[in-house]
Amino acid sequence: MRRRSSALLAAAFAAAALPALVRPAAAQEDRFREETSVVVVELPVQVVKDGQPVRGLTAANFEVWDGKVKRPLAGFEVVDLGAAAGAPGSRPAPVPPAARRNFLLLFDLAFSSHRSLERAEQAARDLLAGGLHPQDLVGVALFTAERGVVLPVGFTSDRRQVERVLDAIAALFRRDAGAAARLKAEAAEQGARDPLGLTAPDVRTVISGIGKLAGVEISVAGEALSWVSDATSGRGAGLLLATLAGMDAIHTPFITESRRSQARGLTDNLTDIARATRDVEGRKTLIFFSDGLDDALMLGDEARNQVGGVSHGQLLGNTQLLNDLFMMLEEFRRGGWVVHTVEAFGLSGNWDETGIGAEALAYMANETGGTFFNQTNQLGEAMGRVLEASRVAYVLSFQADDVPPDGAFHKVRVELVGAPRGARLTHRAGYYAPLPAERRSVGERRFRAAELVLAGEPHADIPLAVLATPFAGTAERGYVPVVVELPAAAIAAERGGGAGAPLDLELYAYAFDREGRVQDFFAQQLQLDAERGAAAAANGLRFVGDLELPAGEHELRLLVRGAASGRTTLEIVPLTVPSPDRVAKRLLPPFFVAGDGGMLTVREAGAEASAGASPFQLGEQPFVPTPHPALAPDGETRLLLAAYHLAAGELRVRGQVLTADGRPVAGGAVAGIGRIKGEGGLDRVLATFRPQGLPPGDYRLQVTLVEPQGGALSASAPFRVGGPS
């Protein structure tokens, strides 16, 4: 591991990159001249001395400059990942989103050899095994000449998803039939593709895609694997056409231009990644495994063999590629990224053959404050020393007034005051002004939605109500129906185009276990035409989905976002799925059969076939319960009480109305109607509820079932008297 000065590329950029920075000014008509906003900027700062984080600093040690304006600190927080790890076996303390570390492992399939990718895959596993904090987020990306940069899995807290992609790489490049067989079995169980990339269910596509690029034919559905060609010969996956030692012999003009085109594809795709992740909070690190962009592609063979500098004339044919690389690195710097580059061929220990693309890799690292790792086969240990420096972050917050919502970049400078001698400070180069939702790219929207789900911080821009209750399912997993209701007023607010406008909502539901692993999810984009949108705006909208979860404690994170407005709501629902091996009496929360009042009901895509198996049944008639019903003071509502393993005989039903904070209140009446014996130990008890005597407001209804022997089970659910829920 060492840093390189990259003198050749530095000289090249001095001649080639600087003219490209002088560009015509962009049109200003769409810059929202009259509209401004107040922006709160959270800036994670690292202070390092001799490779170790500097601890013990206070707000008085930092000064922040927003352009030429000195900003007073509105907030100051110290985050120490070493302290946050906690005792073994305990849940670590939450890391604020602004200080969280995000790692993207990028494997270069276009400029790397077969052997290099084998080594890179193992080095990535070593990195996962040690050095990362439990709350670090990790994603995996692959660059191929044919498809550009693809992300089989985005930033996720679930290490299993990352390992799945590494297993796919191992299955193909190590010819590991065992790993491929495991992936084949998993692929058979995979459902819909995860739009946010928090899981890696598309293993089938990952395997077949990498296989095609590597000259490997593999059948996920078949019983055997068949390699039709060696990955280092023939077409070779867009990999190097021969061994690295023979590269100089194959630089025909056609091949060189083809490789330059692939290099431009890499810089363009990575620029898009940097732009799409602008608003992702926290510290972002790209770890790039590659044999490197051959220096001759950018500098030319003559310049590459020079000991001294490079003249402008020698670079005339390569200025576009150099500019692309320069602008890519600028986007990474602005977005708060640090790029660490790993010369993958050097991981093998055969260092005499390395160096073909060392200059480009070294430059990428140096220009973003990263480290160039070459001539090391102990990447985990070397990277561990680098990661140690980022364990402590000082999160500085300041308020910027009168910021136009135009997406413009604002430079920020942080200075140390009274810090230890020799301390070095690093921070992101600045911040971006807000940008209206309709002007954000698809990539930006996806990364932002994923970040909100992973952060798990509840907020409510769009009013909604959620019901999610675990039922007994299969022997391995419980069944959790999920009902989401949006009131008419919320729908009307999202139809910004008026009465004839369509409705476009995004809904994401992910169930995390205690270790931060995604156990199941569903996602749907609700695109309603003008007629159905008008119906939803008049009466409200109800969405019905379901999850299947193993026994244990889970957390449902439900995100609803208006595609046009950009408003979001994140609801957190704790779920306890009982073990199927443990027979226990339990009463589920009472389900209100309040009717839909004309509400538009939309079911999860592909779930219609299983609707008949719904646990919500009144005799033979299925229904959808209302999560938070609004009841008329003089009306009567039916209730479904679902309970497991009740004693035989007559049951008594009691009810008690509680205030929203849990205090008993007089009023309301519950009466039992009858009992329907079900399968799997599930009984359904029908009852009615009258909210008589209750003034308008929010309440909880607590229902108790009393068995013949005197045992009692209680559960409660929210409701409202008068007005919309």
Side-chain angles (χ1 to χ4, degrees), residues 87-103:
S90 65
R91 300 187 71 176
V95 175
R100 186 180 55 215
R101 299 191 300 188
N102 304 272
F103 295 91

Side-chain angles (χ1 to χ4, degrees), residues 603-619:
R603 292 188 177 274
E604 178 186 350
E608 288 78 5
S610 62
S614 169
F616 304 122
Q617 301 275 343
L618 292 175

Side-chain angles (χ1 to χ4, degrees), residues 36 152 172 299 397 447 472 612:
T36 61
L172 293 165
L299 304 177
S397 302
F447 277 109

Side-chain angles (χ1 to χ4, degrees), residues 237-263:
L239 306 177
L240 294 182
L241 301 180
T243 61
L244 289 176
M247 278 298 293
D248 287 335
I250 64 171
H251 276 301
T252 66
F254 173 79
I255 292 177
T256 300
E257 184 53 39
S258 174
R259 304 299 280 172
R260 283 197 182 118
S261 177
Q262 293 173 9

